[in-house]
Amino acid sequence: MEPVIALISLSFGGAIGLMFLMLGCALPIYNQYWPLFVLFFYILSPIPYCIARRLVDDTDAMSNACKELAIFLTTGVVVSAFGLPVVFARAHLIEWGACALVLTGNTVIFATILGFFLVFGSNDDFSWQQW
């Protein structure tokens, strides 16, 4: 995929995901901004994998403990991002409709983050390390 098309697609996906998150917060029937705490998870999710890619040489065996730990921590962050709106809805801080919108936004945002690493994560001419 051409890098410009990939960037446009990823930015569109991010905008759609943030739109769902904001709809879950700002619609007049919901009007609670507690779900914005998932923005911290969006920021934290790529950090362990980025650190592991910098620390680990890709020339060794198939599995590496550092990369496995990074994937485990990233999975924990992603699961927490999906769990937090459910906890808010169960505690009656937000409505279930807002929870559904936030979970939809989470799915789109994390798919966009995954797409970024799939498109720009390889060590070819145009990689994410140039950004």
Side-chain angles (χ1 to χ4, degrees):
M1 182 183 291
E2 189 174 326
V4 174
I5 295 172
L7 277 176
I8 292 171
S9 301
L10 291 171
S11 63
F12 182 72
I16 295 296
L18 288 175
M19 179 197 67
F20 279 120
L21 175 64
M22 291 310 295
L23 282 175
C25 296
L27 281 177
I29 58 174
Y30 303 134
N31 201 23
Q32 292 291 326
Y33 290 90
W34 289 106
L36 287 179
F37 280 108
V38 299
L39 289 173
F40 292 118
F41 295 117
Y42 298 160
I43 294 167
L44 290 176
S45 65
I47 291 175
Y49 190 70
C50 290
I51 291 172
R53 282 189 57 111
R54 289 285 184 182
L55 293 177
V56 175
D57 186 20
D58 286 333
T59 59
D60 59 357
M62 299 265 250
S63 179
N64 188 324
C66 184
K67 279 190 177 181
E68 297 291 329
L69 178 64
I71 292 171
F72 176 76
L73 293 175
T74 301
T75 304
V77 170
V78 171
V79 168
S80 297
F82 279 95
L84 186 65
V86 175
V87 170
F88 283 162
R90 297 260 310 155
H92 302 293
L93 290 174
I94 64 173
E95 300 290 327
W96 283 103
C99 179
L101 284 169
V102 172
L103 292 177
T104 304
N106 280 350
T107 304
V108 174
I109 290 288
F110 286 124
T112 303
I113 293 171
L114 176 66
F116 179 82
F117 281 105
L118 291 177
V119 171
F120 297 110
S122 62
N123 291 327
D124 57 358
D125 297 342
F126 196 81
S127 70
W128 65 275
Q129 295 171 348
Q130 295 175 357
W131 295 92

